[in-house]
Structures are given as C-alpha cells and as structure tokens.
Amino acid sequence: MVITENDLKKDYGFKDGLPVQDAVIQQFLIVIQDLPRHGGILQLIIKRAAPALLMVLFLACFVSGLYKGFHQALLMFLAILAFTYISQSLPGIRQIWNSSGIKYDFRRRSGHFLLCTGVCTQKNIEARKLAPSIYSARVRLSSGKYLDTVPFAKSHWDEIPAGGRVFVVAANEGSSFCFFGLPQPVLQISSVKGQEDAPIRTTALRPIGPEDRPKILAAEKERIQIRRQLYLKNQLLFTGIAAAFLIFQLFRLNANGIMLGFFMLLACCAIHISNYAQDRSWQKALRGKKELFCADAAAHPCQDGKRAAVAFKNVENRVLFTSRLRDDVCWFREGDRALLVYYNPQKPTAYKIH
C-alpha cells in the first residue's frame, strides 16, 4: 500500500513544516550524511581530496619499500601517513555508523517535509553485518496510529527515553515517503489549548536576521584575530621547521628524507589552507542569502572536569552548548552576550556580540 501526502495529513496527523523547520531538518541531513554545506568549494575539495591523496602517497611509499627496502625514515613516513589517514577518515566513518541508514538528499528531491508529534513506546536495535545498525523506535503518533520502525541517529536514539515525546519527519521520495525521527529538543511544538492546528515552531533557534549578519561578520573577524594570536606563532614555527628540514634533505639528496620533509611541509600548509577555506565559507554564508539559524545566549565560564570551558545559557538558564575551545575560553567573560550560529546543527559556533 502506497501512502500519499493526503493520507499522511488526513489519517496520520502530519502537517506541513514551516520554512524554519525545513531548514533545521536539512541541516540535520547535511551532518548525518556528510553532504556539502554553504558552497565552500575549496573546503569541499580539501575534504574530499585529502584522504585520496594520503592513500596514494601511502601506496606509492609502500611499493617503493617493497622494491628498495623499508628504511627507518620510510617506515616513519608510512606510520605518519597511516595515522593521518585514519584520523581524517574516522569522522566520516562515525557519521555513517551513527546515521541508522537515514538517506535523503534534499538537494535532488524536495526540501520540504511533513511533521508529526508522537510518543516512543519501544526502542529497537537491528544489527547488520558490515553495515550500520538501525536504531529505531515504535512511535504512537498524535493521531493514535503507530509507526513500527522509525529510524533515529544513534546519538538521538540514546537520548530518547521510553515514553518520551519525539517528532517524526516524512520526506517525499516521489512515489513514496521515507520516515525518520528527531528528539523533541531539536524541533519543539507549541501546544495552544483548544487549537488543534497550532503551528509547529522551534523555540531555541531563530533565523538570522539582516541586522544580525553585520554583527556576526565583525565578530568573525575578531574570532580570526584571537585564533591567530593563540595558534599562528606555533603554526608558523612548525612550518619553518618543516621547510628547513626539506631544504636540508634536498642538499643531502636523501630521497626518503625529501619525501618525509615534503609531507611535513604539505601537512603544515594544509592547516593554513583549511583554516582559510573554513573562514571563507562561513563569511560567504553570512554575506549571502543562505538561511542560517542562531540562538541568543549568555556566556558563563566554568570547569568541565579538569579543563576550562564556557557554558552558553539562554534566558531560561538552560545550557544550550558548552565549548572547550581555547578560542572561546580566552574570548568570553562572565555574562557576555553571545550568539550561537548553527553552521553545524550539532555543534554551533559562538560569537561575542558587543
């Protein structure tokens, strides 16, 4: 039986999401599937090309070692390549295993979604060989009907208690709909007594307005300056050491040393290029008309275990986000006004607003 949009609205209690909900769900899909975001072409090229380049270098060095022997410098170089490749690949692998098989490319299909509230009545795990496990829940919708296997991202699934309220998203795939769930804090419903058709809206997030963008752009420049003060001296020092090592090996005509020095210099340059690409993509998103979301908060420095941190709380004194970045620890003081910008819906970027 094929369920149509009319069936979902009439029989299952789904409603059209507002543009603000559609954009939040799109950001969730961007993160869970590692889709490109905000048109940062340079950042995307680096992200996609770096693992492939590391693998090619590793294979070339390994084949060279098979024919010419594995020298100490070559073994060290192979170990560095392997470690770098694994550290670069782990986030993407973690995203795949956290996704519960949720796949929906809103760029090629409809970016509009239907939403319905419900209650989680049972949580299930479907283990699969050589594939991500499916973390799902049986949900009783507000209409009284049940959906037996609504997939959730693992991190969301862990947060949902039995009997907890959730949201079910219906995404149009053309001839059918796919369903996935989101916990209540991600999308909040406003219940107005006596109004069954009360609109669904987010409470913590709000779209960035035209008056916010100049303030955030100014704060972004300030954040860049703070980052340079904290890290640039050490980055330049390591880049200089790598360049000197490479020049020294070139004079010695040591092939293995030249390769190691070249990789060290390339890694240092990649850090600078990556920072530049990220800054450029964020500034492009802020200057453009792409819809971004933010949350108003106040900064409260604190201790997270043995590390200094900054907790960002809303007007209800609820913690929206806790940052351990040195940038934020050095930047924010008690009570500073902050704006959390959600380039990434799971980890916002904090800006001090003067």
Side-chain angles (χ1 to χ4, degrees), residues 35-291:
L35 296 175
R37 60 167 71 89
H38 301 315
I41 301 299
L42 182 57
Q43 192 174 17
L44 179 62
I45 291 173
I46 293 172
K47 187 173 184 178
R48 294 288 189 260
L53 178 61
L54 289 171
M55 180 58 72
V56 170
L57 284 173
F58 182 87
L59 292 175
C61 294
F62 186 78
V63 171
S64 174
L66 290 176
Y67 283 98
K68 299 180 180 180
F70 290 95
H71 304 289
Q72 185 176 1
L74 182 59
L75 289 173
M76 183 184 299
F77 185 50
L78 286 171
I80 293 173
L81 283 173
F83 174 78
T84 307
Y85 177 80
I86 292 171
S87 62
Q88 287 280 334
S89 303
L90 273 179
I93 295 172
R94 192 178 295 116
Q95 283 174 321
I96 293 172
W97 285 90
N98 185 50
S99 68
S100 285
I102 298 173
K103 290 183 180 180
Y104 185 80
D105 192 343
F106 61 87
R107 301 168 305 167
R108 299 181 180 180
R109 300 184 183 274
S110 171
H112 176 63
F113 304 92
L114 302 179
L115 298 173
C116 185
T117 56
V119 175
C120 170
T121 60
Q122 183 180 344
K123 298 170 68 174
N124 304 293
I125 303 176
E126 179 189 342
R128 300 189 297 174
K129 293 182 179 179
L130 301 179
S133 298
I134 303 296
Y135 296 86
S136 64
R138 189 169 190 258
V139 178
R140 186 180 72 250
L141 301 176
S142 56
S143 62
K145 291 186 177 292
Y146 284 84
L147 291 178
D148 291 329
T149 53
V150 178
F152 286 80
K154 183 182 183 302
S155 56
H156 288 164
W157 186 88
D158 291 336
E159 298 174 3
I160 300 169
R165 294 185 63 84
V166 297
F167 288 91
V168 178
V169 180
N172 193 341
E173 293 187 310
S175 59
S176 63
F177 280 83
C178 69
F179 300 93
F180 55 89
L182 291 171
Q184 193 176 36
V186 178
L187 292 172
Q188 196 77 20
I189 187 167
S190 66
S191 57
V192 180
K193 188 175 181 179
Q195 296 183 12
E196 294 181 356
D197 295 327
I200 299 172
R201 65 174 182 265
T202 53
T203 56
L205 298 182
R206 64 175 177 83
I208 288 179
E211 69 283 356
D212 295 316
R213 293 180 186 266
K215 298 176 184 178
I216 300 173
L217 280 168
E220 169 66 14
K221 293 178 181 178
E222 186 176 351
R223 171 178 281 281
I224 292 172
Q225 291 300 322
I226 290 174
R227 189 181 66 213
R228 287 174 178 170
Q229 293 172 11
L230 291 173
Y231 308 112
L232 186 59
K233 184 184 295 184
N234 289 338
Q235 289 175 355
L236 291 176
L237 176 62
F238 284 116
T239 303
I241 292 173
F245 180 82
L246 177 59
I247 293 172
F248 177 70
Q249 297 301 326
L250 285 170
F251 277 111
R252 291 183 57 199
L253 298 178
N254 182 354
N256 292 326
I258 290 172
M259 187 174 293
L260 178 59
F262 174 76
F263 175 75
M264 290 168 58
L265 185 60
L266 184 65
C268 292
C269 292
I271 294 173
H272 296 287
I273 295 173
S274 179
N275 288 337
Y276 170 77
Q278 176 180 280
D279 295 337
R280 188 173 181 273
S281 67
W282 287 2
Q283 290 172 356
K284 185 177 179 181
L286 290 168
R287 290 193 179 99
K289 295 183 179 179
K290 293 183 181 296
E291 188 150 35

Side-chain angles (χ1 to χ4, degrees), residues 287-318:
R287 290 193 179 99
K289 295 183 179 179
K290 293 183 181 296
E291 188 150 35
L292 293 171
F293 296 86
C294 64
D296 296 289
H300 300 277
C302 59
Q303 288 291 127
D304 186 11
K306 295 182 179 180
R307 296 178 59 185
V310 181
F312 296 95
K313 299 181 181 181
N314 62 7
V315 293
E316 299 171 350
N317 206 35
R318 181 168 64 89

Side-chain angles (χ1 to χ4, degrees), residues 2-22:
V2 177
I3 301 177
T4 65
E5 182 173 336
N6 287 335
D7 294 333
L8 288 174
K9 290 181 177 179
K10 183 178 178 181
D11 300 331
Y12 289 80
F14 280 83
K15 300 176 184 178
D16 286 297
L18 296 174
V20 88
Q21 282 87 43
D22 289 340

